[in-house]
């Protein structure tokens, strides 16, 4: 099975290094020197990692045969894809590969069906489940411990406890910066005693 493990960013320096946006919890395993990765688009690869280092919080990679900035810049936005045994599981029991989570049923703690995970989006701050509802609509659910309370691979379900408004917009709590007593017309420092 193939998993996207990174996306190549801009060139770094003049010797062929590139920045990468890591999309794996195991970069030390998937993006280590010597790793041979397929690419999307396929015509760019496969690419073999020659060196890797962290610079200012970003992972920098150099690939075999890429020796200058022009060649490195030509790789920009290429996805790096690792071949993974489908039976392989992450070392941490609280971590999951995307393929394990796809098509899980999403339910509330009381068993109420919400939908099915159809996509997982990786953002810098958190991951999101894209869940298709039974009516065909979609809802985005942050994959954070406070909301996704249980992943049960045997039962093929994810149990969630969403905050008000995440699933049903009619339950949303509207935050307001205005004072509820109607003092919004009073400017700060207008002389009114607090």
């Amino acid at each position: 099975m193939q998993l996207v493990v990174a996306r190549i960013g801009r060139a770094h320096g003049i010797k062929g290094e590139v920045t990468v946006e890591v999309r794996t919890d195991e970069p030390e395993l998937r993006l280590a020197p010597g790793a041979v990765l397929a690419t999307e688009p396929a015509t760019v690869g496969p690419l073999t990692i020659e060196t890797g280092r962290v610079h200012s919080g970003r992972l920098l990679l150099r690939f075999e045969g890429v020796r200058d900035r022009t060649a490195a810049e030509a790789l920009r936005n290429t996805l790096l894809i690792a071949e993974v045994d489908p039976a392989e599981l992450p070392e941490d029991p609280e971590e999951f590969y995307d393929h394990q989570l796809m098509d899980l049923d999403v339910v509330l703690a009381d068993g109420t069906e919400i939908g099915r995970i159809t996509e997982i989006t990786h953002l810098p701050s958190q991951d999101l489940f894209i869940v298709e509802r039974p009516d065909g609509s979609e809802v985005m659910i942050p994959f954070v411990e406070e909301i996704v309370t249980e992943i049960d691979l045997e039962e093929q379900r994810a149990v969630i406890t969403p905050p008000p408004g995440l699933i049903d917009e009619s339950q949303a709590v509207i935050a307001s910066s205005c004072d509820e007593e109607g003092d919004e017309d009073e400017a700060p420092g207008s002389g009114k005693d607090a």
Side-chain angles (χ1 to χ4, degrees):
M1 170 186 317
Q2 295 187 323
L3 295 176
V4 173
V5 293
R7 183 182 64 81
I8 297 175
R10 64 179 185 237
H12 179 83
I14 60 171
K15 296 184 178 180
E17 283 185 310
V18 295
T19 62
V20 293
E21 174 190 311
V22 177
R23 294 187 180 179
T24 176
D25 290 333
E26 302 171 314
E28 66 286 346
L29 174 66
R30 307 285 179 217
L31 301 171
V36 179
L37 301 168
T39 61
E40 179 61 43
T43 55
V44 174
L47 294 172
T48 302
I49 297 175
E50 187 174 280
T51 63
R53 66 185 179 105
V54 176
H55 175 71
S56 298
R58 301 267 329 192
L59 179 61
L60 303 178
L61 297 178
R62 180 180 293 127
F63 300 99
E64 289 180 6
V66 179
R67 295 284 171 244
D68 60 30
R69 185 175 185 86
T70 302
E73 197 60 45
L75 298 174
R76 193 171 192 163
N77 293 321
T78 298
L79 296 177
L80 299 174
I81 303 167
E83 191 65 40
V84 177
D85 180 348
E88 181 181 336
L89 299 175
E91 290 180 16
D92 184 343
E94 296 298 315
E95 292 180 2
F96 303 93
Y97 292 135
D98 287 3
H99 72 273
Q100 295 174 288
L101 301 172
M102 291 297 292
D103 293 322
L104 290 184
D105 292 325
V106 177
V107 298
L108 298 177
D110 66 5
T112 303
E113 179 185 357
I114 300 302
R116 179 179 59 83
I117 299 173
T118 57
E119 185 181 337
I120 299 165
T121 301
H122 301 280
L123 302 175
S125 59
Q126 67 191 15
D127 296 334
L128 288 175
F129 290 158
I130 308 301
V131 177
E132 184 177 318
R133 309 282 308 259
D135 65 5
S137 64
E138 289 184 337
V139 63
M140 292 184 283
I141 299 176
F143 186 24
V144 293
E145 191 175 354
E146 296 79 23
I147 296 174
V148 181
T149 58
E150 179 186 356
I151 298 290
D152 187 338
L153 295 178
E154 285 185 21
E155 294 291 324
Q156 287 289 290
R157 68 185 189 140
V159 179
I160 64 169
T161 55
L166 183 66
I167 303 300
D168 183 355
E169 291 180 13
S170 68
Q171 297 176 352
V173 176
I174 307 299
S176 174
S177 61
C178 297
D179 186 4
E180 292 180 11
E181 294 179 15
D183 292 339
E184 62 270 3
D185 293 332
E186 295 290 336
S190 63
K192 182 177 179 182
D193 292 331

